[in-house]
Amino acid sequence: MNSLAQVYDREFRIRGLRQQGWGRGLIAVAVLIWLWLGYLLVFPFSADQGANRKAVECESRAFHQNGRYAVTYARDTGERCDAERDWGPITAGLLLSLPFAVLGTGLYVAGACTVRTAAYVADIARLNLTQET
């Protein structure tokens, strides 16, 4: 391979590795959002009642049940707890994380294919060199 081809091959590999890095970073952002949403759903919390009033202890959204059967979160824990951990922001967080996950996965796969293609072309070039000699 001439030096210009080697420079192009090196830049091609670097571009693929850079894409993989960006993909990993975006996937990490999505995972952090998912972990935060999991925390909001699984762990108990306390809700403020207002000025000079004691905070109310609330069960988690995922594990609540006052009676034999869990009916609704609002009925089991009360309106204040239901209003504190509303489904709206949790769903918005999930929707916010989807572009990060999709774009990150796409970039990672494209980078991995680029790196693998460069390795394949280098292997073919080496095989052609060994056959010629």
PDB file of all heavy atoms in Angstrom, residues 86-113:
ATOM      1  N   ASP A  86     -46.019  12.426  39.417  1.00  0.00           N
ATOM      2  CA  ASP A  86     -46.980  12.299  38.333  1.00  0.00           C
ATOM      3  C   ASP A  86     -46.351  11.532  37.167  1.00  0.00           C
ATOM      4  O   ASP A  86     -45.137  11.536  36.985  1.00  0.00           O
ATOM      5  CB  ASP A  86     -47.394  13.701  37.890  1.00  0.00           C
ATOM      6  CG  ASP A  86     -48.558  13.687  36.939  1.00  0.00           C
ATOM      7  OD1 ASP A  86     -49.324  12.718  36.953  1.00  0.00           O
ATOM      8  OD2 ASP A  86     -48.701  14.671  36.188  1.00  0.00           O
ATOM      9  N   TRP A  87     -47.185  10.886  36.366  1.00  0.00           N
ATOM     10  CA  TRP A  87     -46.687  10.120  35.228  1.00  0.00           C
ATOM     11  C   TRP A  87     -46.178  11.011  34.107  1.00  0.00           C
ATOM     12  O   TRP A  87     -45.365  10.575  33.281  1.00  0.00           O
ATOM     13  CB  TRP A  87     -47.789   9.210  34.678  1.00  0.00           C
ATOM     14  CG  TRP A  87     -47.938   7.951  35.451  1.00  0.00           C
ATOM     15  CD1 TRP A  87     -49.004   7.607  36.219  1.00  0.00           C
ATOM     16  CD2 TRP A  87     -47.016   6.877  35.563  1.00  0.00           C
ATOM     17  NE1 TRP A  87     -48.789   6.378  36.798  1.00  0.00           N
ATOM     18  CE2 TRP A  87     -47.570   5.910  36.407  1.00  0.00           C
ATOM     19  CE3 TRP A  87     -45.750   6.642  35.038  1.00  0.00           C
ATOM     20  CZ2 TRP A  87     -46.929   4.727  36.734  1.00  0.00           C
ATOM     21  CZ3 TRP A  87     -45.109   5.459  35.359  1.00  0.00           C
ATOM     22  CH2 TRP A  87     -45.693   4.526  36.186  1.00  0.00           C
ATOM     23  N   GLY A  88     -46.629  12.244  34.040  1.00  0.00           N
ATOM     24  CA  GLY A  88     -46.233  13.138  32.951  1.00  0.00           C
ATOM     25  C   GLY A  88     -44.731  13.334  32.837  1.00  0.00           C
ATOM     26  O   GLY A  88     -44.146  13.081  31.770  1.00  0.00           O
ATOM     27  N   PRO A  89     -44.047  13.792  33.894  1.00  0.00           N
ATOM     28  CA  PRO A  89     -42.597  13.975  33.794  1.00  0.00           C
ATOM     29  C   PRO A  89     -41.840  12.659  33.586  1.00  0.00           C
ATOM     30  O   PRO A  89     -40.807  12.641  32.906  1.00  0.00           O
ATOM     31  CB  PRO A  89     -42.220  14.599  35.140  1.00  0.00           C
ATOM     32  CG  PRO A  89     -43.459  15.230  35.631  1.00  0.00           C
ATOM     33  CD  PRO A  89     -44.580  14.378  35.125  1.00  0.00           C
ATOM     34  N   ILE A  90     -42.350  11.572  34.137  1.00  0.00           N
ATOM     35  CA  ILE A  90     -41.681  10.281  33.955  1.00  0.00           C
ATOM     36  C   ILE A  90     -41.773   9.860  32.487  1.00  0.00           C
ATOM     37  O   ILE A  90     -40.782   9.421  31.889  1.00  0.00           O
ATOM     38  CB  ILE A  90     -42.288   9.229  34.899  1.00  0.00           C
ATOM     39  CG1 ILE A  90     -41.981   9.608  36.347  1.00  0.00           C
ATOM     40  CG2 ILE A  90     -41.764   7.835  34.584  1.00  0.00           C
ATOM     41  CD1 ILE A  90     -42.666   8.752  37.384  1.00  0.00           C
ATOM     42  N   THR A  91     -42.952  10.018  31.894  1.00  0.00           N
ATOM     43  CA  THR A  91     -43.110   9.686  30.479  1.00  0.00           C
ATOM     44  C   THR A  91     -42.293  10.630  29.605  1.00  0.00           C
ATOM     45  O   THR A  91     -41.702  10.202  28.608  1.00  0.00           O
ATOM     46  CB  THR A  91     -44.600   9.768  30.088  1.00  0.00           C
ATOM     47  OG1 THR A  91     -45.352   8.945  30.986  1.00  0.00           O
ATOM     48  CG2 THR A  91     -44.825   9.312  28.673  1.00  0.00           C
ATOM     49  N   ALA A  92     -42.239  11.900  29.964  1.00  0.00           N
ATOM     50  CA  ALA A  92     -41.434  12.863  29.204  1.00  0.00           C
ATOM     51  C   ALA A  92     -39.958  12.485  29.265  1.00  0.00           C
ATOM     52  O   ALA A  92     -39.241  12.599  28.260  1.00  0.00           O
ATOM     53  CB  ALA A  92     -41.648  14.269  29.744  1.00  0.00           C
ATOM     54  N   GLY A  93     -39.487  12.040  30.413  1.00  0.00           N
ATOM     55  CA  GLY A  93     -38.099  11.593  30.523  1.00  0.00           C
ATOM     56  C   GLY A  93     -37.817  10.391  29.652  1.00  0.00           C
ATOM     57  O   GLY A  93     -36.755  10.293  29.023  1.00  0.00           O
ATOM     58  N   LEU A  94     -38.754   9.463  29.602  1.00  0.00           N
ATOM     59  CA  LEU A  94     -38.590   8.297  28.747  1.00  0.00           C
ATOM     60  C   LEU A  94     -38.548   8.713  27.281  1.00  0.00           C
ATOM     61  O   LEU A  94     -37.695   8.241  26.514  1.00  0.00           O
ATOM     62  CB  LEU A  94     -39.723   7.300  28.988  1.00  0.00           C
ATOM     63  CG  LEU A  94     -39.676   6.026  28.154  1.00  0.00           C
ATOM     64  CD1 LEU A  94     -38.443   5.211  28.508  1.00  0.00           C
ATOM     65  CD2 LEU A  94     -40.926   5.215  28.366  1.00  0.00           C
ATOM     66  N   LEU A  95     -39.444   9.591  26.886  1.00  0.00           N
ATOM     67  CA  LEU A  95     -39.449  10.067  25.498  1.00  0.00           C
ATOM     68  C   LEU A  95     -38.197  10.870  25.170  1.00  0.00           C
ATOM     69  O   LEU A  95     -37.703  10.819  24.042  1.00  0.00           O
ATOM     70  CB  LEU A  95     -40.706  10.897  25.231  1.00  0.00           C
ATOM     71  CG  LEU A  95     -42.014  10.109  25.228  1.00  0.00           C
ATOM     72  CD1 LEU A  95     -43.198  11.054  25.059  1.00  0.00           C
ATOM     73  CD2 LEU A  95     -42.019   9.046  24.150  1.00  0.00           C
ATOM     74  N   LEU A  96     -37.669  11.601  26.143  1.00  0.00           N
ATOM     75  CA  LEU A  96     -36.436  12.353  25.945  1.00  0.00           C
ATOM     76  C   LEU A  96     -35.244  11.421  25.734  1.00  0.00           C
ATOM     77  O   LEU A  96     -34.335  11.725  24.963  1.00  0.00           O
ATOM     78  CB  LEU A  96     -36.170  13.266  27.144  1.00  0.00           C
ATOM     79  CG  LEU A  96     -34.849  14.021  27.156  1.00  0.00           C
ATOM     80  CD1 LEU A  96     -34.909  15.136  26.126  1.00  0.00           C
ATOM     81  CD2 LEU A  96     -34.571  14.577  28.527  1.00  0.00           C
ATOM     82  N   SER A  97     -35.263  10.270  26.384  1.00  0.00           N
ATOM     83  CA  SER A  97     -34.122   9.359  26.280  1.00  0.00           C
ATOM     84  C   SER A  97     -34.095   8.576  24.973  1.00  0.00           C
ATOM     85  O   SER A  97     -33.031   8.097  24.567  1.00  0.00           O
ATOM     86  CB  SER A  97     -34.150   8.377  27.447  1.00  0.00           C
ATOM     87  OG  SER A  97     -35.198   7.434  27.290  1.00  0.00           O
ATOM     88  N   LEU A  98     -35.225   8.434  24.306  1.00  0.00           N
ATOM     89  CA  LEU A  98     -35.275   7.616  23.091  1.00  0.00           C
ATOM     90  C   LEU A  98     -34.383   8.136  21.956  1.00  0.00           C
ATOM     91  O   LEU A  98     -33.679   7.336  21.333  1.00  0.00           O
ATOM     92  CB  LEU A  98     -36.714   7.450  22.629  1.00  0.00           C
ATOM     93  CG  LEU A  98     -37.577   6.580  23.537  1.00  0.00           C
ATOM     94  CD1 LEU A  98     -38.995   6.512  23.001  1.00  0.00           C
ATOM     95  CD2 LEU A  98     -36.990   5.206  23.713  1.00  0.00           C
ATOM     96  N   PRO A  99     -34.372   9.445  21.646  1.00  0.00           N
ATOM     97  CA  PRO A  99     -33.448   9.892  20.592  1.00  0.00           C
ATOM     98  C   PRO A  99     -31.983   9.635  20.934  1.00  0.00           C
ATOM     99  O   PRO A  99     -31.188   9.274  20.058  1.00  0.00           O
ATOM    100  CB  PRO A  99     -33.722  11.398  20.481  1.00  0.00           C
ATOM    101  CG  PRO A  99     -35.072  11.588  21.029  1.00  0.00           C
ATOM    102  CD  PRO A  99     -35.252  10.541  22.077  1.00  0.00           C
ATOM    103  N   PHE A 100     -31.620   9.788  22.203  1.00  0.00           N
ATOM    104  CA  PHE A 100     -30.246   9.497  22.607  1.00  0.00           C
ATOM    105  C   PHE A 100     -29.919   8.027  22.375  1.00  0.00           C
ATOM    106  O   PHE A 100     -28.840   7.688  21.879  1.00  0.00           O
ATOM    107  CB  PHE A 100     -30.022   9.845  24.083  1.00  0.00           C
ATOM    108  CG  PHE A 100     -29.999  11.315  24.362  1.00  0.00           C
ATOM    109  CD1 PHE A 100     -31.039  11.916  25.049  1.00  0.00           C
ATOM    110  CD2 PHE A 100     -28.950  12.102  23.946  1.00  0.00           C
ATOM    111  CE1 PHE A 100     -31.033  13.262  25.313  1.00  0.00           C
ATOM    112  CE2 PHE A 100     -28.919  13.460  24.203  1.00  0.00           C
ATOM    113  CZ  PHE A 100     -29.969  14.046  24.883  1.00  0.00           C
ATOM    114  N   ALA A 101     -30.847   7.154  22.734  1.00  0.00           N
ATOM    115  CA  ALA A 101     -30.614   5.718  22.588  1.00  0.00           C
ATOM    116  C   ALA A 101     -30.537   5.317  21.114  1.00  0.00           C
ATOM    117  O   ALA A 101     -29.638   4.566  20.709  1.00  0.00           O
ATOM    118  CB  ALA A 101     -31.708   4.939  23.301  1.00  0.00           C
ATOM    119  N   VAL A 102     -31.457   5.818  20.307  1.00  0.00           N
ATOM    120  CA  VAL A 102     -31.493   5.445  18.891  1.00  0.00           C
ATOM    121  C   VAL A 102     -30.283   5.998  18.152  1.00  0.00           C
ATOM    122  O   VAL A 102     -29.603   5.276  17.406  1.00  0.00           O
ATOM    123  CB  VAL A 102     -32.815   5.927  18.246  1.00  0.00           C
ATOM    124  CG1 VAL A 102     -32.786   5.773  16.745  1.00  0.00           C
ATOM    125  CG2 VAL A 102     -33.984   5.164  18.838  1.00  0.00           C
ATOM    126  N   LEU A 103     -29.989   7.272  18.350  1.00  0.00           N
ATOM    127  CA  LEU A 103     -28.847   7.883  17.675  1.00  0.00           C
ATOM    128  C   LEU A 103     -27.535   7.262  18.158  1.00  0.00           C
ATOM    129  O   LEU A 103     -26.626   7.001  17.362  1.00  0.00           O
ATOM    130  CB  LEU A 103     -28.839   9.393  17.904  1.00  0.00           C
ATOM    131  CG  LEU A 103     -27.809  10.194  17.126  1.00  0.00           C
ATOM    132  CD1 LEU A 103     -28.025  10.020  15.631  1.00  0.00           C
ATOM    133  CD2 LEU A 103     -27.905  11.651  17.500  1.00  0.00           C
ATOM    134  N   GLY A 104     -27.430   7.002  19.451  1.00  0.00           N
ATOM    135  CA  GLY A 104     -26.227   6.375  19.982  1.00  0.00           C
ATOM    136  C   GLY A 104     -26.020   4.983  19.429  1.00  0.00           C
ATOM    137  O   GLY A 104     -24.894   4.600  19.074  1.00  0.00           O
ATOM    138  N   THR A 105     -27.091   4.212  19.335  1.00  0.00           N
ATOM    139  CA  THR A 105     -26.978   2.869  18.772  1.00  0.00           C
ATOM    140  C   THR A 105     -26.575   2.929  17.304  1.00  0.00           C
ATOM    141  O   THR A 105     -25.715   2.172  16.855  1.00  0.00           O
ATOM    142  CB  THR A 105     -28.318   2.117  18.923  1.00  0.00           C
ATOM    143  OG1 THR A 105     -28.658   2.067  20.310  1.00  0.00           O
ATOM    144  CG2 THR A 105     -28.229   0.718  18.374  1.00  0.00           C
ATOM    145  N   GLY A 106     -27.179   3.836  16.563  1.00  0.00           N
ATOM    146  CA  GLY A 106     -26.820   3.984  15.151  1.00  0.00           C
ATOM    147  C   GLY A 106     -25.369   4.378  14.955  1.00  0.00           C
ATOM    148  O   GLY A 106     -24.670   3.821  14.097  1.00  0.00           O
ATOM    149  N   LEU A 107     -24.899   5.346  15.741  1.00  0.00           N
ATOM    150  CA  LEU A 107     -23.500   5.767  15.627  1.00  0.00           C
ATOM    151  C   LEU A 107     -22.545   4.651  16.029  1.00  0.00           C
ATOM    152  O   LEU A 107     -21.513   4.449  15.376  1.00  0.00           O
ATOM    153  CB  LEU A 107     -23.250   7.005  16.486  1.00  0.00           C
ATOM    154  CG  LEU A 107     -23.717   8.325  15.897  1.00  0.00           C
ATOM    155  CD1 LEU A 107     -23.557   9.438  16.920  1.00  0.00           C
ATOM    156  CD2 LEU A 107     -22.934   8.656  14.643  1.00  0.00           C
ATOM    157  N   TYR A 108     -22.881   3.927  17.086  1.00  0.00           N
ATOM    158  CA  TYR A 108     -21.999   2.850  17.521  1.00  0.00           C
ATOM    159  C   TYR A 108     -21.920   1.751  16.462  1.00  0.00           C
ATOM    160  O   TYR A 108     -20.838   1.259  16.140  1.00  0.00           O
ATOM    161  CB  TYR A 108     -22.460   2.259  18.855  1.00  0.00           C
ATOM    162  CG  TYR A 108     -21.538   1.173  19.339  1.00  0.00           C
ATOM    163  CD1 TYR A 108     -20.342   1.504  19.961  1.00  0.00           C
ATOM    164  CD2 TYR A 108     -21.825  -0.164  19.123  1.00  0.00           C
ATOM    165  CE1 TYR A 108     -19.470   0.519  20.374  1.00  0.00           C
ATOM    166  CE2 TYR A 108     -20.957  -1.149  19.525  1.00  0.00           C
ATOM    167  CZ  TYR A 108     -19.788  -0.809  20.158  1.00  0.00           C
ATOM    168  OH  TYR A 108     -18.917  -1.782  20.552  1.00  0.00           O
ATOM    169  N   VAL A 109     -23.061   1.377  15.898  1.00  0.00           N
ATOM    170  CA  VAL A 109     -23.071   0.324  14.879  1.00  0.00           C
ATOM    171  C   VAL A 109     -22.333   0.783  13.622  1.00  0.00           C
ATOM    172  O   VAL A 109     -21.553   0.018  13.040  1.00  0.00           O
ATOM    173  CB  VAL A 109     -24.525  -0.097  14.558  1.00  0.00           C
ATOM    174  CG1 VAL A 109     -24.593  -0.968  13.327  1.00  0.00           C
ATOM    175  CG2 VAL A 109     -25.126  -0.823  15.738  1.00  0.00           C
ATOM    176  N   ALA A 110     -22.538   2.016  13.206  1.00  0.00           N
ATOM    177  CA  ALA A 110     -21.836   2.536  12.030  1.00  0.00           C
ATOM    178  C   ALA A 110     -20.324   2.564  12.267  1.00  0.00           C
ATOM    179  O   ALA A 110     -19.539   2.193  11.387  1.00  0.00           O
ATOM    180  CB  ALA A 110     -22.348   3.929  11.681  1.00  0.00           C
ATOM    181  N   GLY A 111     -19.915   2.978  13.452  1.00  0.00           N
ATOM    182  CA  GLY A 111     -18.488   2.994  13.772  1.00  0.00           C
ATOM    183  C   GLY A 111     -17.896   1.600  13.821  1.00  0.00           C
ATOM    184  O   GLY A 111     -16.784   1.364  13.336  1.00  0.00           O
ATOM    185  N   ALA A 112     -18.637   0.654  14.402  1.00  0.00           N
ATOM    186  CA  ALA A 112     -18.146  -0.717  14.466  1.00  0.00           C
ATOM    187  C   ALA A 112     -18.018  -1.313  13.066  1.00  0.00           C
ATOM    188  O   ALA A 112     -17.039  -2.022  12.761  1.00  0.00           O
ATOM    189  CB  ALA A 112     -19.077  -1.566  15.329  1.00  0.00           C
ATOM    190  N   CYS A 113     -18.987  -1.009  12.196  1.00  0.00           N
ATOM    191  CA  CYS A 113     -18.907  -1.500  10.813  1.00  0.00           C
ATOM    192  C   CYS A 113     -17.730  -0.870  10.078  1.00  0.00           C
ATOM    193  O   CYS A 113     -17.051  -1.542   9.294  1.00  0.00           O
ATOM    194  CB  CYS A 113     -20.205  -1.202  10.072  1.00  0.00           C
ATOM    195  SG  CYS A 113     -21.591  -2.196  10.640  1.00  0.00           S
TER     196      CYS A 113
END
